[in-house]
Amino acid sequence: MTTADFTQMSGLEVMQWVQKHSPTDFPSIGRLLGMRFDEVEHGRIVISLDTRPDFANPLGAVHGGIAATLLDSALGCAVHTTLPAGVGFTTLELKVNYIRTARTDGQTLTATGTVIHAGRRTATAEGRVLDDQGKLIAHATTTCMIL
């Protein structure tokens, strides 16, 4: 794997690097859950993962935290694509609406995050998680603080 100096790269360049290299040699939530960066563009990210039995809640469906984490990642990374080199962000708020459960049998879940507003101090984004049949699993909005 090629090393990169993330401090010298814009947020879009960082996300494009992650998409291209799919790094597995350093700890991340993406590695833990098996996230794939399917699409990366300015203000928009598409991330997917395949469910597995480890994602189950006590009722045997995918735990809501998986959808929330997928949304937090897609929305936050979408915001990141709008930032210049050396500028960071943190999530101030994440509002998730759960619509239906997902199965734990390898079903692909896909989250799309889109920036609504990217300002000097805050950014907002919205997103959806769909299952492999195109059915809505959850949707969310976020507010991020630009650091």
Side-chain angles (χ1 to χ4, degrees):
M1 179 175 78
T2 306
T3 59
D5 182 359
F6 294 136
T7 64
Q8 300 301 310
M9 299 166 72
S10 71
L12 178 59
E13 292 169 331
V14 169
M15 292 294 99
Q16 289 170 332
W17 185 91
V18 169
Q19 180 187 32
K20 180 179 179 181
H21 296 283
S22 301
T24 59
D25 60 341
F26 57 88
S28 71
I29 192 69
R31 182 180 81 174
L32 180 67
L33 298 181
M35 291 181 187
R36 298 177 297 273
F37 284 74
D38 301 325
E39 298 177 35
V40 174
E41 58 189 72
H42 185 268
R44 184 174 174 276
I45 292 279
V46 178
I47 301 174
S48 63
L49 58 74
D50 297 325
T51 65
R52 57 184 191 250
D54 288 338
F55 293 175
N57 64 21
L59 299 174
V62 171
H63 189 282
I66 299 297
T69 301
L70 195 52
L71 284 161
D72 188 36
S73 297
L75 276 58
C77 288
V79 166
H80 196 182
T81 66
T82 68
L83 301 178
V87 176
F89 74 97
T90 190
T91 300
L92 290 174
E93 170 270 336
L94 178 69
K95 165 67 171 88
V96 179
N97 290 289
Y98 298 99
I99 305 304
R100 66 175 40 87
T101 60
R103 300 183 322 270
T104 62
D105 62 356
Q107 179 179 48
T108 299
L109 300 181
T110 303
T112 301
T114 306
V115 173
I116 298 168
H117 166 77
R120 284 187 18 233
R121 298 193 186 270
T122 62
T124 57
E126 63 187 0
R128 296 170 176 238
V129 173
L130 304 178
D131 68 13
D132 49 14
Q133 302 299 308
K135 292 184 179 177
L136 184 63
I137 300 298
H139 58 96
T141 57
T142 192
T143 302
C144 296
M145 180 171 60
I146 308 304
L147 305 173

